[in-house]
């Protein structure tokens, strides 16, 4: 149907759900990731790193979005350093 027409739903729409999952702290931002779920297009992971990485990381295979809930740090890039903290993406 054209986008301006309403389409009835057979089921109620999805609702946001607050899920409190325990995250095992450890590792750095990469090795500390714990995958919660994935499919062919997306992987959802959480991380509570306890250490920093002393090496350069570049993901050449996929896009990444990181949301910082708490903590702070510095992202070192070829274009300069970027400070980050809670609420940053």
């Amino acid at each position: 149907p054209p986008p301006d027409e309403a389409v009835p739903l057979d089921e109620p729409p999805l609702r946001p759900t607050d899920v409190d999952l325990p995250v095992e702290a450890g590792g750095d931002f990469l090795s500390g990731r714990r995958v919660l779920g994935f499919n062919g297009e997306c992987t959802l992971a959480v991380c509570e790193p306890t250490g920093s990485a002393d090496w350069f990381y570049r993901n050449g295979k996929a896009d990444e979005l990181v949301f910082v809930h708490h903590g702070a740090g510095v992202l070192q890039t070829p274009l300069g350093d970027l400070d980050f903290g809670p609420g940053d993406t």
Side-chain angles (χ1 to χ4, degrees):
D4 56 345
E5 291 183 25
V7 177
L9 298 173
D10 294 333
E11 299 179 19
L14 296 175
R15 297 183 184 164
T17 304
D18 183 16
V19 179
D20 188 16
L21 298 172
V23 178
E24 182 181 332
D28 54 45
F29 76 96
L30 187 61
S31 66
R33 293 179 185 185
R34 305 295 178 253
V35 175
L36 301 178
F38 65 93
N39 64 21
E41 300 293 324
C42 178
T43 299
L44 177 63
V46 295
C47 182
E48 188 172 340
T50 56
S52 60
D54 59 355
W55 41 270
F56 178 75
Y57 170 75
R58 179 178 179 181
N59 186 341
K61 295 168 105 177
D63 296 327
E64 289 191 46
L65 173 66
V66 176
F67 181 82
V68 180
H69 286 276
H70 56 85
V74 177
L75 175 64
Q76 296 176 327
T77 76
L79 301 176
D81 294 348
L82 297 171
D83 295 328
F84 64 86
D88 286 339
T89 51

